[in-house]
Amino acid sequence: DQQVKQNSPSLSVQEGRISILNCDYTNSMFDYFLWYKKYPAEGPTFLISISSIKDKNEDGRFTVFLNKSAKHLSLHIVPSQPGDSAVYFCAAYLRRALTFGSGTRLQVQP
Amino acid sequence: ETGVTQSPTHLIKTRGQQVTLRCSSQSGHNTVSWYQQALGQGPQFIFQYYREEENGRGNFPPRFSGLQFPNYSSELNVNALELDDSALYLCASSLAGGLQETQYFGPGTRLLVL
């Protein structure tokens, strides 16, 4: 039973445009959500997080939105850059453990 | 500031053998978590160590065990290796002290079981 789902395995966008990565979850007890970026042969790199009591958090080009009623979060990258090309994982935190989605591969075309 | 380091980077074992993976936490962090990432999937939580004791465990059998040392570094031990244990093993460190902890990952150890 996948508690965190990323339904789009891949996404391709043009440089300078907005990238929107989506994530759905089923467990309403999750209290903290994170996005990680992963390059090949490296570990996941923390990008941005959001507490379950907020609906938006911004950090530079990255914004995470949380819709608790829909159990949905999204990561917006504006503007997208070729260096953003990587696999993005959303993760949800509960009782010391992170539960990850299966990832979305983002390709930013120059 | 030193990030999370793991050793070795790659490892090949045969079925039935035992393996030990090592992790040094980021400076200032006192908690270490281990994850298994199979190909094409997200990382799965194995367990967490805090104050040298197991602090939480995912759905992994007892042949997966660990240690945390006084300097907060950690080991993951896997006994009686099975082919399905082939995966990337990730260590993450964090600072305990609140309900919400951001975990920072190392580069991982890729284990192949033949």
Side-chain angles (χ1 to χ4, degrees):
Chain A
D1 177 31
Q2 263 191 301
Q3 296 191 65
V4 178
K5 290 184 183 179
Q6 293 176 257
N7 291 318
S8 298
S10 63
L11 175 68
S12 182
V13 300
Q14 289 294 120
E15 181 179 3
R17 306 294 292 269
I18 184 171
S19 294
I20 301 176
L21 297 102
N22 293 304
C23 179
D24 297 298
Y25 62 94
T26 56
N27 189 343
S28 58
M29 298 297 292
F30 288 135
D31 55 10
Y32 187 52
F33 300 89
L34 307 90
W35 284 93
Y36 287 86
K37 177 170 73 172
K38 189 176 185 303
Y39 294 117
E42 294 184 14
T45 301
F46 169 69
L47 269 177
I48 192 169
S49 61
I50 187 166
S51 165
S52 61
I53 63 173
K54 296 188 175 181
D55 55 18
K56 179 182 174 181
N57 188 27
E58 282 182 85
D59 185 1
R61 296 186 297 116
F62 302 92
T63 303
V64 56
F65 294 91
L66 175 62
N67 182 334
K68 283 190 69 177
S69 60
K71 296 191 179 68
H72 178 83
L73 68 155
S74 61
L75 173 68
H76 292 209
I77 306 173
V78 183
S80 300
Q81 300 173 352
D84 296 330
S85 298
V87 178
Y88 288 78
F89 291 95
C90 69
Y93 182 86
L94 178 63
R95 290 194 290 269
R96 305 179 186 90
L98 289 174
T99 300
F100 284 83
S102 54
T104 296
R105 182 176 300 279
L106 174 65
Q107 184 71 37
V108 180
Q109 308 285 352
Chain B
E1 184 180 86
T2 308
V4 179
T5 60
Q6 293 185 242
S7 63
T9 55
H10 294 84
L11 204 50
I12 300 175
K13 291 285 187 178
T14 55
R15 195 171 46 181
Q17 284 189 312
Q18 178 265 343
V19 68
T20 297
L21 311 181
R22 294 177 174 82
C23 171
S24 291
S25 60
Q26 183 169 312
S27 58
H29 286 180
N30 55 12
T31 301
V32 174
S33 304
W34 286 91
Y35 291 80
Q36 180 195 66
Q37 186 178 14
L39 207 58
Q41 298 181 21
Q44 279 198 288
F45 177 69
I46 303 175
F47 44 55
Q48 183 180 90
Y49 275 81
Y50 171 64
R51 292 186 174 177
E52 302 176 48
E53 291 192 359
E54 190 178 289
N55 195 33
R57 190 176 185 96
N59 190 24
F60 280 81
R63 59 189 186 84
F64 286 78
S65 63
L67 285 173
Q68 186 182 31
F69 300 99
N71 67 353
Y72 308 124
S73 66
S74 176
E75 287 182 356
L76 165 65
N77 299 289
V78 187
N79 293 322
L81 284 166
E82 301 177 358
L83 298 181
D84 284 349
D85 295 334
S86 296
L88 179 68
Y89 288 85
L90 294 161
C91 167
S93 73
S94 55
L95 180 62
L99 291 176
Q100 298 164 349
E101 302 167 9
T102 298
Q103 298 183 4
Y104 296 87
F105 285 82
T109 294
R110 188 161 296 281
L111 172 66
L112 178 61
V113 182
L114 301 175

